[in-house]
Amino acid sequence: MSFNNLDQLYRSVIMDHYKNPRNKGVIEDGSLTIDMNNPTCGDRIRLTLDVEGDIVKDAKFDGEGCSISMSSASMMTEAIKGHTISEALAMGHEFSQMMLGNDYEITEEMGDIEALSGVAKFPARIKCATLAWKALEKGTKEEE
Ligand code: FES
């Protein structure tokens, strides 16, 4: 696949998550609620997690933001569901590496998150892409 085709594929994956967000909403009796905002634009996200033992049983997000932040949240909730907190944080680490333009490893079970790899070229949008992952990190670190 040529670079341009891949770019287009990634763009359509991002728009699909933006228009048809997975896991949108709030888990009413979830064990963790994390609010996070992007200080540069004021966009915000609320992440709710249902954690049983060490496993993320369910994850939902709500909020307002640009297509990058909302699609990233949709992809993130899909990726972490069914995984342990430490696996989820390890995914977040790989995602950050990808945003920094460093080597990264995104496995198939991490879903569509690699579609955001192009954001690394636009430093102003990196905060958009990492908003949901920052929320995850904040909430699970407070938990420890
Ligand atoms: Fe606000 Fe992207 S412009 S999160």
Side-chain angles (χ1 to χ4, degrees), residues 61-135:
F61 77 99
D62 210 355
E64 282 158 29
C66 64
S67 56
I68 301 288
S69 67
M70 294 293 111
S71 64
S72 181
S74 170
M75 293 173 194
M76 189 272 275
T77 51
E78 282 240 294
I80 66 170
K81 261 208 266 184
H83 289 272
T84 64
I85 296 277
S86 50
E87 284 167 348
L89 289 172
M91 291 178 193
H93 177 74
E94 294 305 321
F95 189 82
S96 303
Q97 292 305 308
M98 185 171 84
M99 288 297 110
L100 292 168
N102 296 337
D103 288 343
Y104 62 88
E105 198 184 334
I106 304 279
T107 60
E108 208 162 299
E109 59 172 4
M110 288 156 77
D112 292 333
I113 64 177
E114 197 169 18
L116 288 165
S117 55
V119 173
K121 284 181 260 153
F122 304 95
R125 309 307 303 276
I126 293 175
K127 278 206 173 87
C128 307
T130 53
L131 184 64
W133 290 101
K134 289 257 166 63

